[in-house]
Amino acid sequence: MPPGSGLDFALTEEQELLRAEVRRFAEERLRPGLAERDRSHELPVAVLREMGEMGLLGMLVAEEYGGAGQDPLTYCLAVEEVARVCPSTAVTMSVTNSVCQWPIQRFGSDELRRRVLPELAAGAEFGGFGLTEPGSGSDAGAMQTVARRDGDDWILDGQKAWITNASIGKWFVVLARTDPAAGKRGISAFVVGREMPGFAAGAPEEKMGLRASVTGSLFFNACRVPASHLLDAEGQGLRIAFATLDHSRLGIAAQAVGIHQRALELALAYARERVQFGVPIVEHQAVRFTLARMATELAAARTLTRHAAALSERSPEAGRLASEAKLYASEAANRACFDALQIHGGNGFSEEYEIARLYRDVRVTTIYEGTSEMQRLVIARHLLAG
Ligand SMILES: Cc1cc2nc3c(=O)[nH]c(=O)nc-3n(C[C@H](O)[C@H](O)[C@H](O)COP(=O)(O)OP(=O)(O)OC[C@H]3O[C@@H](n4cnc5c(N)ncnc54)[C@H](O)[C@@H]3O)c2cc1C
């Protein structure tokens, strides 16, 4: 169904209640200490455990595997509300939910799901996704990590880079080349555990933003992975990775919408308060026009995101819709943070003001889970195939 075709995705009463509950929780539990955690690069572990108890870290997993069994739209609402307060926690949440648990539920055997999903869905452990390598980002098919069969196991060798939850995760969906001669069709997906021999996680990166989340490398040194930890069949790895990203980009779009919402709130409050030329700066038309554009783009980003989420498991166009939502929402949120900081003048350049952190946090949304350029290529590919 094409965008704008009249699909009804108004929120249900349950979705509104959950959204309000997550907003309250984020204000009460994530807002305190936000700036300190950003400064000290500290993950809010205790709050994440509480989020696990609320079902927020296993939203997309069926109840029989210990999850909350929520739909993608409800998941996006929760990510948006968490991101409005703490974008770092939103990415920790979105990675364990969507790039780790979602493909395991979708492509793993029943035995594997029962072994791995309950502890992830409860938030007792975190999950991650290892696609990017030092030499392959956008060109994922050029990965160098290899896996060779050895009896009932696979032996993995290689390195993944920029992996969210690297040093705190227990289970990772990892892509490796199982048939080097088969090119992109020779890549397979595995569920690798941190306790497996030959696995190591590197030190967290020093990031410019999202500092209260953890990102680092994964190393596989003859890492022994049971054959039962292969997702789907050999050679299906890139298909699984792209299907996963088609779905998970919704979470990044929702994260961008949450950040955009907060940037608008901050800009509006500052513009009402700050007096220049004898009037609050909100009285100057240029400032009003900026606020109006931020609000309009926020509405568009939110609508695209919710529309894509509502259709994500029902439409053959789901991948395109998620890419459109991610592309637009991340770029609009970047514009909004730029403009909100501009409205703050010199104060916006001070870490005393929340907008400075948001400006740093929002930057990566046009980069991870596929850069804006990659989203444009995906969207164009759909157009040309139609
Ligand atoms: C905070 C953070 C968390 C991350 N978490 C994860 C994670 O959990 N798991 C994971 O696997 N990865 C993760 N990543 C990696 C992320 O997905 C990659 O950084 C991203 O896909 C881009 O890859 P790259 O950095 O290698 O850039 P490159 O692919 O080297 O791209 C560099 C530039 O070239 C452009 N470019 C490349 N090819 C083309 C082309 N064909 N046409 C036009 N332009 C092109 C890109 O758009 C970009 O602007 C994370 C990254 C960050 C920063």
Side-chain angles (χ1 to χ4, degrees):
M1 193 182 295
S5 54
L7 173 88
D8 179 11
F9 56 97
L11 303 186
T12 63
E13 204 183 323
E14 291 77 33
Q15 286 169 328
E16 283 291 10
L17 283 173
L18 183 120
R19 199 186 60 72
E21 187 192 348
V22 177
R23 176 168 290 212
R24 193 171 48 248
F25 176 84
E27 286 293 346
E28 284 172 9
R29 300 292 296 124
L30 280 168
R31 174 86 55 208
L34 210 49
E36 290 73 20
R37 288 197 303 274
D38 178 65
R39 262 195 293 278
S40 58
H41 295 230
E42 181 194 335
L43 193 84
V45 178
V47 185
L48 282 159
R49 297 280 176 243
E50 289 173 42
M51 289 171 64
E53 284 159 21
M54 290 167 73
L56 297 177
L57 300 185
M59 292 191 78
L60 302 167
V61 166
E63 288 176 14
E64 65 169 311
Y65 301 111
Q70 298 281 13
D71 59 276
L73 177 53
T74 307
Y75 163 69
C76 284
L77 299 174
V79 173
E80 179 187 326
E81 291 301 337
V82 170
R84 179 182 157 274
V85 176
C86 181
S88 288
T89 302
V91 75
T92 307
M93 167 188 181
S94 119
V95 163
T96 194
N97 268 292
S98 70
V99 277
C100 183
Q101 295 173 43
W102 187 86
I104 295 172
Q105 172 162 268
R106 182 74 175 259
F107 301 105
S109 67
D110 191 54
E111 184 201 339
L112 184 61
R113 291 180 199 153
R114 287 189 193 286
R115 184 176 318 141
V116 170
L117 289 178
E119 61 186 6
L120 287 175
E125 299 289 350
F126 300 110
F129 177 72
L131 179 65
T132 306
E133 298 188 358
S136 62
S138 303
D139 185 10
M143 72 179 64
Q144 297 292 314
T145 298
V146 290
R148 65 180 166 80
R149 190 72 191 242
D150 182 37
D152 283 342
D153 297 329
W154 288 89
I155 309 290
L156 268 65
D157 280 287
Q159 179 186 346
K160 297 290 172 181
W162 287 108
I163 307 307
T164 302
N165 296 344
S167 57
I168 58 160
K170 177 167 180 190
W171 298 107
F172 297 87
V173 171
V174 174
L175 285 299
R177 198 172 279 293
T178 45
D179 181 357
K184 292 183 180 176
R185 292 208 178 82
I187 291 169
S188 305
F190 300 88
V191 177
V192 181
R194 72 165 172 241
E195 278 144 28
M196 292 177 180
F199 174 92
E205 300 287 344
E206 283 269 338
K207 305 194 295 288
M208 71 173 270
L210 299 185
R211 290 178 174 171
S213 72
V214 169
T215 321
S217 292
L218 300 180
F219 300 95
F220 310 101
N221 185 7
C223 177
R224 190 167 281 276
V225 179
S228 59
H229 282 230
L230 176 74
L231 291 181
D232 200 343
E234 260 182 80
Q236 295 299 310
L238 272 195
R239 185 180 67 83
I240 291 171
F242 293 153
T244 300
L245 290 169
D246 275 353
H247 193 273
S248 67
R249 281 173 185 142
L250 296 168
I252 304 304
Q255 181 195 30
V257 171
I259 298 172
H260 193 150
Q261 170 70 43
R262 185 66 183 161
L264 177 60
E265 290 169 14
L266 293 172
L268 199 50
Y270 192 87
R272 281 195 164 122
E273 192 185 291
R274 175 71 176 170
V275 175
Q276 286 296 282
F277 298 96
V279 289
I281 58 171
V282 77
E283 297 300 332
H284 300 304
Q285 194 182 49
V287 173
R288 287 191 173 206
F289 280 11
T290 303
L291 292 168
R293 197 186 59 236
M294 287 167 72
T296 306
E297 293 194 2
L298 174 61
R302 185 175 275 138
T303 304
L304 277 177
T305 302
R306 292 187 182 177
H307 180 258
L311 283 178
S312 79
E313 275 155 16
R314 314 195 248 145
S315 165
E317 297 294 314
R320 173 177 64 81
L321 297 176
S323 280
E324 288 172 353
K326 198 263 185 190
L327 171 65
Y328 185 80
S330 62
E331 296 204 337
N334 268 276
R335 284 192 291 275
C337 288
F338 182 95
D339 287 339
L341 196 148
Q342 189 72 14
I343 285 174
H344 280 69
N347 283 336
F349 204 58
S350 161
E351 292 290 343
E352 292 278 303
Y353 285 78
E354 188 179 344
I355 190 61
R357 178 181 50 75
L358 279 190
Y359 183 80
R360 290 186 283 101
D361 284 348
V362 77
R363 187 63 191 87
V364 73
T365 59
T366 63
I367 293 171
Y368 58 19
E369 300 209 8
T371 62
S372 284
E373 291 72 30
M374 291 302 113
Q375 306 312 321
R376 290 189 175 91
L377 289 178
V378 169
I379 295 162
R381 199 174 303 132
H382 277 273
L383 290 176
L384 295 168

